[in-house]
Amino acid sequence: MTPGLDLASEDDRESALDEVLSFSRRFGEDTVSLCMHAAVPLGLTPELLHLIRHNFLHSLPRVAESDLLLSPLCRDVGGGFFQMRSSIRELLIFELRNDAEFGKTRLESIAALMLGFVDQQWTVKCDREFRSFLLAQRWTALAYIDPAEAARQLASALATDLQSPGDEIVAVAEIAQELSEPLQSQEDIVIYSAGISELRQGRTALAARFFDTLSSKSKPLIVGDVVLPAPQTLMKHSSSAESDGGQQKWADMSDISDALQDLESAFGDEPALQCELLEKSDSGKPIGHHGSFSVVFKARHADGRLITLRFFTHQRNELPERYKRITRHFNEVSRPDGLVDFQFLEQGLRLADGRRSPVMVLDWVEGKTLDRWLLSQFETTAGSEACTLMAERWRRLMGDLREKQIAHGDLQPMNIIVTPESELKLIDYDSMYVPSLEGLPTVERGVDQYQHPERDRHTTLSLEIDNFSAILIYLLILASEFDPIDLPALESTRLFLPDGEAPPPKTVEHSSIIRKLASSSSPAIASMVALLKRYHDGPIKAVPSLEGFIAFEWDEPDGGAERFRSRVMSQTNETTLGDALRQLESIHGVSIESSAKESKAVISEQFTGVELDTAIRILLGSTKHQASVNGVSVSLRGGNKIDLAQPVAILSDIHGNLEALDAVLTDIRARGIQQICCLGDSVGVGPNPGECIAVAMTFDAHVLGDFEQGTLFDPDGFDPICRQATFWTRAMMENEQVETTLQHSRWDFFGEMPRKLSFGDILFVHASPRDPTNEYVWPEDIYNQRKVERCFQTTKRICFMGHTGIPGIFTEELEYRSPEEVEYEYSLGPGKHLINVGSVGKPRDGDPRASYVILNGNHLTFRRIEYDLERTAAKIERTPELSDELAVELRRGAGRPGEGDDLQRSSEDQRSSEDQRSSEDLSSSELAKKKLDEMFRRNRPTDKGHSGPDWGTNDTRPIED
């Protein structure tokens, strides 16, 4: 252990030992072996833990994985990630290294597996938080296999992050310190990291103590081919930046916490700070909410107002002057209603050692952040109206700011609060623009997903800095009218990049939020996103204001949706749907189909106050609007209706398998069932797409699957085999010798499929309740609490789905039950359930028989049907455009996980610019392969009969959430 870096105290070690012994008594010594193996990575996901058990301790039951993740040995840190406490990791790794059966060789084998896992997943998942997790695992694995290379990569990351003011460098430094034991031969980088961490957090004296132990403080530290600044230079720069009359101005978290124990001493007689803190721990310590540069506390002022106290934890010496100019501008133009009142007190906080530190006092804003508000609206019957009205409020707020020459500078959902009165309030003004700040650099770059790709730390402040973000957020609000959008799952965080690897190019294809918007079930939203894409890929200066974007003439009749909107909105903000439809008819002479007229009358009787945008989109055909009227689905085209008082057969994923479909329909008829609902993918990878479509058109209801979407538009994200099958299906549909009207009706059938259907409290989708077309919900996702909980949040009571080809039942208690476990019969109780009906034409649960479900009241029956599988397989093998591998998978009832997934890229897509790795990555890949081959030859796990790593059932499945 590097001197001065003993991460665990004696008390910590004793506590860790007690916790491990307690775990052993509860779950057995064999499961402790899994703990020892799982301690090698710095962090865990359910998928990584599964691979470790699958490859090294295969005889352990799978439940051992959940036993570990849900035990006190691991803590859930959010986003599907888990961590062990340092003292527990240290103890378990010590035991693994000294175990007679495992030893150092097993530790290195696990590290080699981790490198393989990182190399494989790097091309699958683009989410930045996940990439940061993967980098930590790469550095950890290299620390055990090649310490010199691990030290070089850590040094490279430190060198890059020394140029930025954020917390990234602290995180990298903490990883280096956590790896001090395997990096004993590279102790200089560990000590240097510890010094940087203390220095960046304002603890200069502690930083100096670490730097003093280096061989030279005056010379740069050279690690491989990376040159790091001399510690003396860092200390000098820090002293210059922090000093003000010889005193450090900026407090760290411990300074602030200590000072707030005595508010009278901390705040003195400052009138704005006469308050009491409202949130405290059981021990009486104030509870703060942390951000990248600051921490905030909720307080009550002496006059009874709720206020926010914001303390800065990083050097931000430019802020006082900026806030003075912002305050001066607010006084000149009158503060817009969407901004909260504040005071910036440069000397507001008195620390225990007498130093002074800035405090920002703001009015407390009660409400939800925009991301939480949007998700909650999808679950309410008024959500559609509320979202369109909120989009209009956002438009007015952006117009008000622009009129008063103000730009926020960091627009993102976490900085937007929706009050209980549905008002919008913006918070966090560090990057704000007012005219007197024109041309100064931005303090923050903002969250990448909400910024134009040219926005960086060198971008200067201007009135146009919010344009791209304002448009994107406007579209997010509008799109949430049609589909739930789980923003936290789509957002990305800052990424730690190794030397030589440029940040991934910010193309539209790699912006998960824009991809999500582009897949909206509203073609109107999709058309607006197409324009946003052009602005995204063009120069930042070309992006118009939100008002300019909305004024763009869309492909509506007469280009007049905006003119109609302005004409009616000048009279009133709201009108009934019937009135809006009548006005639109009179203005544009638009002809309405009789079915639409009939439905219009029904909807008009049930709904009032529907915002005009909805009416415009309905009538102009921009969306196939589905409404739920008294628990019954009403469609403007009159289809997709089911009477849930009668039995209904629910099937999915026919995949052009006519033999399987015929067998299922025979079974349905034999049981006297009159209603059929299909959950998508009537076509896909089977040999009879045309015939299956013709049958599917007779069903009572049919939702859109990813293969219908891929056939209709483009199979983006499909693997090569599925992509080729989709192109062949499209060609078959276009060239089939049938009447033109029939051919057109088939394409219309695809184009009119809704992404979801709702009948009362029962939802029907292809994939998942929060992403109806694309997201996979696998049985093992019960270990991914965040993901499953969010699926249930967007489900009123019951959701039927397909997509995975694995039938089963998910409960709110995070339990999964297969049809075999419930003996193919299940009664739905009052709680929420997700029901996967399996696949008719391509099962993937190891049983090649066709699968479907019968819903009769609250009772479910899972059916498995034999069919002439060999006939279908022979057709596939006779069709050159369909891979023979599809026939092999059909026979064994299994497919490649991730098939057709929008995150599962083809080999060509995997070579896209974002996933091109530097020579460093390639060397890591080669090292992983070499080590894997070598170590599994010499240290073959005793309970597995293979000579290389087995990726099990997770080999290409992306890690979600």
Side-chain angles (χ1 to χ4, degrees):
M1 184 74 70
T2 302
L5 287 178
D6 196 347
L7 298 175
S9 66
E10 194 60 38
D11 288 343
D12 279 341
R13 292 194 184 96
E14 289 183 9
S15 174
L17 180 59
D18 289 342
E19 290 184 43
V20 172
L21 291 175
S22 175
F23 182 92
S24 177
R25 286 192 294 269
R26 181 177 179 186
F27 297 108
E29 291 185 7
D30 289 344
T31 309
V32 175
S33 296
L34 178 62
C35 300
M36 292 157 56
H37 286 64
V40 179
L42 273 185
L44 290 168
T45 63
E47 289 80 0
L48 178 56
L49 180 59
H50 172 74
L51 285 176
I52 290 172
R53 182 196 63 82
H54 188 70
N55 280 276
F56 299 105
L57 302 164
H58 192 62
S59 59
L60 278 179
R62 186 162 186 175
V63 72
E65 299 170 20
S66 57
D67 289 340
L68 173 55
L69 291 179
L70 299 177
S71 75
L73 298 186
C74 287
R75 61 188 180 97
D76 186 345
V77 295
F81 302 115
F82 296 81
Q83 281 184 346
M84 289 184 183
R85 201 169 71 239
S86 295
S87 55
I88 293 175
R89 280 192 71 247
E90 181 183 318
L91 171 64
L92 291 171
I93 291 176
F94 177 84
E95 293 296 326
L96 180 71
R97 187 188 298 275
N98 292 280
D99 187 276
E101 180 183 356
F102 304 131
K104 180 183 176 183
T105 305
R106 176 59 64 90
L107 194 156
E108 291 178 346
S109 296
I110 297 169
L113 182 71
M114 289 164 57
L115 277 179
F117 172 77
V118 170
D119 179 61
Q120 176 201 59
Q121 292 293 331
W122 195 271
T123 63
V124 173
K125 183 85 172 180
C126 298
D127 179 81
R128 292 196 167 194
E129 185 176 5
F130 183 69
R131 287 168 69 100
S132 298
F133 166 81
L134 290 178
L135 276 170
Q137 306 318 309
R138 173 194 285 165
W139 294 333
T140 304
L142 287 173
Y144 289 105
I145 294 174
D146 189 347
E149 176 61 16
R152 192 194 72 80
Q153 292 194 22
L154 285 164
S156 175
L158 290 174
T160 300
D161 290 329
L162 274 169
Q163 308 303 314
S164 69
D167 284 341
E168 294 90 343
I169 194 168
V170 176
V172 175
E174 288 175 350
I175 290 172
Q177 294 168 74
E178 188 78 21
L179 298 176
S180 59
E181 192 275 331
L183 290 177
Q184 288 186 54
S185 62
Q186 308 291 321
E187 69 173 11
D188 278 358
I189 188 62
V190 179
I191 296 171
Y192 190 92
S193 298
I196 283 181
S197 178
E198 299 297 342
L199 196 61
R200 185 54 66 93
Q201 296 179 77
R203 296 188 283 265
T204 310
L206 280 175
R209 285 175 54 191
F210 282 113
F211 288 146
D212 284 344
T213 64
L214 292 171
S215 55
S216 174
K217 293 192 297 182
S218 59
K219 295 181 180 179
L221 178 65
I222 300 175
V223 184
D225 58 355
V226 180
V227 180
L228 290 166
Q232 202 171 66
T233 303
L234 294 176
M235 295 290 289
K236 182 178 179 181
H237 175 75
S238 177
S239 298
S240 173
E242 293 174 359
S243 63
D244 183 14
Q247 286 191 317
Q248 178 184 337
K249 290 177 58 178
W250 301 91
D252 61 26
M253 189 55 231
S254 61
D255 293 330
I256 295 168
S257 182
D258 290 344
L260 294 182
Q261 298 293 319
D262 183 355
L263 295 185
E264 185 175 350
S265 173
F267 297 147
D269 297 330
E270 171 57 51
L273 294 172
Q274 302 308 300
C275 61
E276 61 171 334
L277 301 180
L278 298 180
E279 298 176 333
K280 296 183 179 180
S281 67
D282 293 339
S283 61
K285 290 187 177 181
I287 296 175
H289 305 275
H290 297 260
S292 297
F293 296 98
S294 64
V295 59
V296 300
F297 296 84
K298 183 178 182 180
R300 187 183 305 279
H301 193 270
D303 64 11
R305 290 180 299 119
L306 292 178
I307 60 174
T308 300
L309 301 179
R310 185 178 182 217
F311 304 94
F312 298 91
T313 55
H314 285 80
Q315 300 163 1
R316 310 289 293 281
N317 291 333
E318 76 285 358
L319 283 184
E321 179 59 30
R322 292 191 183 218
Y323 273 113
K324 287 177 186 176
R325 297 187 190 185
I326 293 169
T327 301
R328 196 158 50 239
H329 186 73
F330 280 11
N331 292 334
E332 292 172 359
V333 301
S334 77
R335 174 178 51 83
D337 291 339
L339 303 180
V340 299
D341 198 12
F342 72 87
Q343 287 181 266
F344 187 90
L345 306 173
E346 189 172 357
Q347 302 284 322
L349 176 65
R350 180 184 176 86
L351 302 174
D353 58 6
R355 287 177 296 138
R356 293 282 184 171
S357 186
V359 183
M360 191 172 179
V361 185
L362 307 95
D363 287 342
W364 179 265
V365 182
E366 198 68 49
K368 296 180 178 179
T369 54
L370 181 64
D371 53 339
R372 290 172 54 209
W373 185 87
L374 289 175
L375 201 56
S376 69
Q377 290 307 301
F378 191 79
E379 302 169 16
T380 67
T381 56
S384 173
E385 178 183 355
C387 286
T388 49
L389 290 174
M390 189 59 68
E392 182 61 26
R393 292 189 183 99
W394 177 254
R395 179 187 186 180
R396 289 198 296 265
L397 173 57
M398 293 297 100
D400 191 21
L401 291 181
R402 191 172 183 85
E403 181 181 344
K404 295 180 177 179
Q405 296 289 292
I406 299 170
H408 181 272
D410 187 15
L411 292 177
Q412 53 167 297
M414 289 297 291
N415 285 340
I416 305 166
I417 305 295
V418 182
T419 70
E421 296 77 28
S422 295
E423 295 177 347
L424 288 168
K425 298 288 185 181
L426 302 180
I427 60 174
D428 190 351
Y429 307 149
D430 290 359
S431 295
M432 182 165 280
Y433 162 86
V434 295
S436 60
L437 295 174
E438 179 93 37
L440 292 180
T442 57
V443 174
E444 299 170 350
R445 62 184 293 172
V447 176
D448 286 346
Q449 290 279 15
Y450 298 98
Q451 297 296 335
H452 189 278
E454 289 185 6
R455 170 77 182 268
D456 56 28
R457 293 190 183 93
H458 305 294
T459 304
T460 56
L461 290 172
S462 74
L463 186 59
E464 316 302 325
I465 199 168
D466 282 345
N467 288 354
F468 184 83
S469 306
I471 295 169
L472 181 58
I473 291 169
Y474 177 77
L475 294 180
L476 280 171
I477 299 171
L478 281 181
S480 296
E481 172 188 332
F482 304 96
D483 309 293
I485 298 179
D486 188 358
L487 288 175
L490 295 172
E491 290 170 0
S492 59
T493 57
R494 294 285 295 119
L495 171 67
F496 312 139
L497 293 168
D499 185 38
E501 181 177 342
K506 299 178 187 176
T507 62
V508 168
E509 288 72 19
H510 298 113
S511 171
S512 56
I513 291 178
I514 294 181
R515 283 205 314 269
K516 176 68 176 178
L517 286 174
S519 67
S520 171
S521 59
S522 164
I525 299 296
S527 67
M528 287 189 277
V529 174
L531 179 61
L532 180 64
K533 287 180 178 180
R534 294 203 292 271
Y535 289 128
H536 180 282
D537 290 341
I540 191 171
K541 292 181 179 179
V543 182
S545 66
L546 175 59
E547 199 65 31
F549 179 85
I550 295 173
F552 184 88
E553 292 195 352
W554 307 101
D555 296 331
E556 309 286 12
D558 244 3
E562 176 58 27
R563 285 198 291 276
F564 169 72
R565 185 183 212 284
S566 300
R567 178 169 170 177
V568 181
M569 292 295 274
S570 65
Q571 304 170 20
T572 176
N573 285 337
E574 297 179 15
T575 186
T576 64
L577 177 61
D579 288 344
L581 292 172
R582 282 191 291 276
Q583 291 188 60
L584 190 55
E585 285 181 279
S586 64
I587 291 172
H588 296 297
V590 179
S591 61
I592 310 175
E593 298 176 359
S594 59
S595 58
K597 281 182 176 289
E598 294 166 3
S599 295
K600 179 183 71 176
V602 175
I603 297 174
S604 296
E605 291 173 4
Q606 301 292 333
F607 292 91
T608 59
V610 177
E611 215 276 339
L612 288 175
D613 282 355
T614 305
I616 293 169
R617 283 193 290 273
I618 293 171
L619 196 60
L620 295 177
S622 297
T623 178
K624 301 296 185 288
H625 187 73
Q626 295 287 332
S628 181
V629 181
N630 294 336
V632 178
S633 178
V634 176
S635 165
L636 293 184
R637 301 198 64 85
N640 290 318
K641 296 179 181 178
I642 293 176
D643 180 5
L644 292 178
Q646 302 297 322
V648 55
I650 308 170
L651 47 92
S652 186
D653 295 86
I654 299 166
H655 279 287
N657 187 333
L658 185 60
E659 285 72 27
L661 179 58
D662 282 343
V664 165
L665 293 178
T666 299
D667 189 71
I668 291 172
R669 285 191 294 269
R671 294 174 175 276
I673 298 171
Q674 302 298 316
Q675 300 181 101
I676 300 175
C677 175
C678 180
L679 303 183
D681 281 5
S682 290
V683 298
V685 293
N688 293 102
E691 295 88 338
C692 290
I693 296 168
V695 174
M697 290 173 68
T698 68
F699 294 161
D700 299 88
H702 198 302
V703 299
L704 182 74
D706 57 327
F707 273 91
E708 280 100 4
Q709 180 172 271
T711 303
L712 191 61
F713 298 105
D714 191 59
D716 284 339
F718 285 24
D719 66 31
I721 291 176
C722 295
R723 189 178 180 86
Q724 174 63 29
T726 304
F727 285 134
W728 176 78
T729 295
R730 180 186 297 171
M732 290 290 290
M733 289 179 62
E734 291 173 343
N735 301 323
E736 195 172 7
Q737 299 301 310
V738 296
E739 293 182 10
T740 302
T741 54
L742 176 58
Q743 191 177 74
H744 288 174
S745 68
R746 290 181 178 178
W747 286 113
D748 288 343
F749 175 59
F750 273 31
E752 293 164 8
M753 287 180 189
R755 282 162 53 88
K756 58 185 177 294
L757 287 172
S758 179
F759 301 97
D761 57 4
I762 300 182
L763 180 66
F764 296 84
V765 299
H766 174 65
S768 88
R770 65 174 185 171
D771 184 350
T773 307
N774 294 305
E775 181 180 43
Y776 286 92
V777 182
W778 302 99
E780 57 265 38
D781 282 333
I782 58 172
Y783 304 126
N784 192 338
Q785 182 176 352
R786 181 183 179 199
K787 175 181 178 181
V788 177
E789 284 180 349
R790 290 190 170 175
C791 286
F792 277 113
Q793 285 172 6
T794 51
T795 301
K796 289 183 179 178
R797 188 171 76 92
I798 308 297
C799 176
F800 286 95
M801 57 194 186
H803 200 36
T804 65
I806 302 176
I809 303 158
F810 297 82
T811 71
E812 272 190 297
E813 292 74 29
L814 300 183
E815 294 179 346
Y816 169 80
R817 306 185 72 181
S818 68
E820 293 81 3
E821 289 180 85
V822 298
E823 297 182 347
Y824 298 92
E825 302 285 342
Y826 188 80
S827 293
L828 296 168
K832 293 184 179 183
H833 292 79
L834 307 179
I835 310 297
N836 196 304
V837 303
S839 171
V840 170
K842 199 174 189 309
R844 289 195 284 192
D845 61 343
D847 184 344
R849 295 177 297 169
S851 172
Y852 79 99
V853 164
I854 299 170
L855 173 64
N856 190 355
N858 282 322
H859 188 78
L860 296 178
T861 301
F862 289 86
R863 298 287 299 158
R864 298 308 291 254
I865 309 299
E866 299 274 3
Y867 71 96
D868 191 348
L869 185 152
E870 285 302 323
R871 183 175 181 183
T872 305
K875 289 181 184 178
I876 292 173
E877 292 167 342
R878 290 197 302 269
T879 304
E881 293 82 0
L882 298 179
S883 170
D884 288 353
E885 186 178 339
L886 296 170
V888 174
E889 293 167 355
L890 196 66
R891 290 185 175 104
R892 69 171 193 240
R896 285 153 290 109
E899 171 188 272
D901 189 354
D902 66 339
L903 292 175
Q904 179 63 37
R905 301 293 170 186
S906 67
S907 57
E908 178 181 351
D909 293 333
Q910 290 173 348
R911 290 192 294 269
S912 66
S913 55
E914 175 167 5
D915 291 324
Q916 285 180 351
R917 283 157 290 169
S918 63
S919 57
E920 172 180 278
D921 297 321
L922 294 176
S923 65
S924 294
S925 172
E926 292 163 2
L927 177 62
K929 293 182 178 117
K930 178 180 178 182
K931 288 290 183 181
L932 282 168
D933 291 341
E934 173 187 341
M935 292 180 180
F936 275 93
R937 277 198 302 270
R938 74 168 187 247
N939 186 42
R940 183 175 303 170
T942 56
D943 58 353
K944 289 186 66 64
H946 61 68
S947 58
D950 183 355
W951 301 107
T953 59
N954 292 327
D955 57 349
T956 57
R957 195 174 300 169
I959 295 179
E960 299 176 90
D961 287 317

